[in-house]
């Protein structure tokens, strides 16, 4: 949660904004909502809920909480209600037996800006539209015929990866960066039909650097992901909105798309 630590001063601002918007509901006595049988939950703080209990190593913090509250427990991550499962049996129940209610991914702030308002296959909600774009992806990219057709691309990129790994010897190298570069090369050649890291014109224009920025934005979490009611204000205060819009527009220029229609609703 290093990202949250860097934005920690903004939580004071967020607290004030939420209090101003929902002060009546915060200070008024809320009626008990019947019908909810929630799992056990650790004590939480006003506004931020259980965010402070995640720390810099969320996986370790969640493991420690599971030891106290059991294999399934409930957390309020800011304004986001979250159920944590740390049991293989319960995970099977959620991901296989009752998979449809849990099939959709959360609408992350970065995904809304970088993936056409979450209309891609990875972040669009489960339904008829998702099944349709998955069918297109399977036919055009993942069918046995297409996978076999692009075998030469994978072979060439593996050979290029081996050469890259051998170049710095006996020095050191960043293996994660090399593998990420290999994955990007395969995806770009298969999806766009162009080699963006082989020294061509696109490489000179910084496409690889743009992909790295794209992935960095997707890997991180925005404070707005935990406080949707003040998301736009938080994005503006942190400068994240301008960064997301700039990265999205740059990628659209490379791919020849028009970004204005997509971002007009955000």
């Amino acid at each position: 949660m290093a990202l949250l630590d860097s934005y920690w001063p903004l939580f004071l601002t967020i607290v004030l904004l939420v209090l101003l918007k929902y002060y009546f509901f915060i200070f008024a006595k809320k009626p008990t909502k019947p019908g909810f049988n929630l799992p056990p939950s650790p004590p939480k703080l006003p506004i931020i809920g259980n965010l402070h209990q995640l720390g810099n190593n969320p996986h370790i913090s969640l493991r420690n909480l599971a030891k106290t509250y059991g294999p399934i427990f409930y957390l309020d991550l800011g304004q986001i209600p979250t159920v944590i499962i740390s049991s293989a049996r319960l995970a099977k129940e959620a991901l296989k037996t009752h998979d449809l209610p849990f099939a959709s991914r959360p609408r992350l702030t970065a995904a809304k800006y970088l993936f056409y308002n979450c209309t891609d296959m990875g972040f669009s909600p489960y339904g008829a539209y998702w099944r349709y774009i998955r069918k297109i992806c399977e036919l055009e990219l993942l069918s046995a015929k297409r996978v076999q057709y692009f075998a030469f691309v994978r072979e060439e990129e593996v050979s290029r990866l081996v050469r890259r790994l051998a170049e710095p010897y006996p020095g050191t190298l960043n293996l994660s960066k090399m593998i990420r570069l290999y994955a990007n090369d395969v995806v770009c050649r298969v999806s766009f039909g162009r080699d963006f890291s082989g020294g061509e014109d696109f490489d000179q224009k910084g496409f690889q650097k743009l992909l790295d920025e794209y992935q960095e934005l997707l890997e991180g979490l925005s404070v707005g992901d935990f406080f949707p009611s003040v998301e736009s204000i938080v994005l503006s205060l942190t400068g994240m909105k301008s960064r997301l819009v700039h990265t999205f527009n740059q990628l659209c220029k490379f791919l020849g798309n028009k970004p204005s229609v997509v971002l007009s609703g955000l």
Side-chain angles (χ1 to χ4, degrees):
M1 301 297 289
L3 180 63
L4 287 177
D5 290 339
S6 62
Y7 290 152
W8 185 254
L10 286 174
F11 276 109
L12 296 177
T13 305
I14 294 172
V15 169
L16 293 176
L17 291 172
V18 175
L19 284 174
L20 288 174
K21 190 171 182 179
Y22 299 110
Y23 72 96
F24 175 78
F25 299 100
I26 292 174
F27 292 108
K29 184 178 180 180
K30 296 182 179 180
T32 303
K33 294 182 180 181
F36 289 98
N37 185 19
L38 296 176
S41 174
K44 58 186 178 181
L45 296 177
I47 308 301
I48 67 172
N50 303 104
L51 274 175
H52 65 291
Q53 295 174 316
L54 295 184
N56 293 324
N57 298 295
H59 59 294
I60 296 178
S61 300
L62 293 177
R63 180 202 62 187
N64 295 335
L65 289 172
K67 291 180 179 179
T68 303
Y69 296 97
I72 179 171
F73 57 95
Y74 174 85
L75 297 178
D76 278 322
L77 302 181
Q79 297 175 334
I80 305 300
T82 307
V83 174
I84 309 297
I85 295 176
S86 58
S87 162
R89 181 182 63 81
L90 293 177
K92 182 179 179 180
E93 288 287 324
L95 301 177
K96 185 176 181 180
T97 307
H98 305 284
D99 58 320
L100 293 184
F102 304 100
S104 299
R105 292 189 177 184
R107 289 172 54 88
L108 299 179
T109 299
K112 285 189 287 186
Y113 280 86
L114 300 179
F115 283 111
Y116 299 89
N117 201 16
C118 292
T119 56
D120 70 308
M121 190 175 70
F123 289 95
S124 59
Y126 177 79
Y129 172 77
W130 181 85
R131 291 193 295 269
Y132 174 72
I133 59 177
R134 185 191 64 175
K135 182 178 179 180
I136 294 177
C137 184
E138 288 178 346
L139 291 175
E140 298 298 330
L141 293 175
L142 302 178
S143 65
K145 182 178 180 180
R146 300 297 287 178
V147 170
Q148 182 63 33
Y149 175 78
F150 289 116
F152 76 96
V153 173
R154 297 190 297 273
E155 293 172 357
E156 292 177 1
E157 292 304 327
V158 167
S159 298
R160 182 187 292 184
L161 174 63
V162 172
R163 291 195 298 271
R164 286 170 176 162
L165 295 176
E167 286 175 359
Y169 179 83
T172 60
L173 57 84
N174 188 331
L175 185 59
S176 297
K177 180 179 179 180
M178 293 297 178
I179 294 178
R180 184 169 64 246
L181 187 61
Y182 160 77
N184 287 340
D185 287 341
V186 172
V187 171
C188 289
R189 290 185 63 184
V190 171
S191 302
F192 309 133
R194 297 297 301 270
D195 184 354
F196 290 107
S197 68
E200 296 184 359
D201 183 48
F202 283 95
D203 181 52
Q204 297 174 6
K205 292 181 179 179
F207 186 80
Q208 188 59 49
K209 182 179 179 181
L210 177 62
L211 284 181
D212 291 339
E213 174 75 357
Y214 216 81
Q215 291 174 335
E216 182 180 344
L217 290 170
L218 283 174
E219 290 170 357
L221 286 175
S222 169
V223 178
D225 291 326
F226 302 108
F227 299 93
S229 63
V230 292
E231 177 184 293
S232 59
I233 298 175
V234 171
L235 290 178
S236 299
L237 289 175
T238 60
M240 183 62 70
K241 181 176 181 178
S242 60
R243 185 181 174 189
L244 289 166
V245 172
H246 174 74
T247 302
F248 177 80
N249 288 340
Q250 288 297 108
L251 185 67
C252 286
K253 288 180 181 179
F254 276 110
L255 302 181
N257 298 333
K258 294 182 179 180
S260 58
V261 177
V262 177
L263 292 179
S264 63
L266 296 177

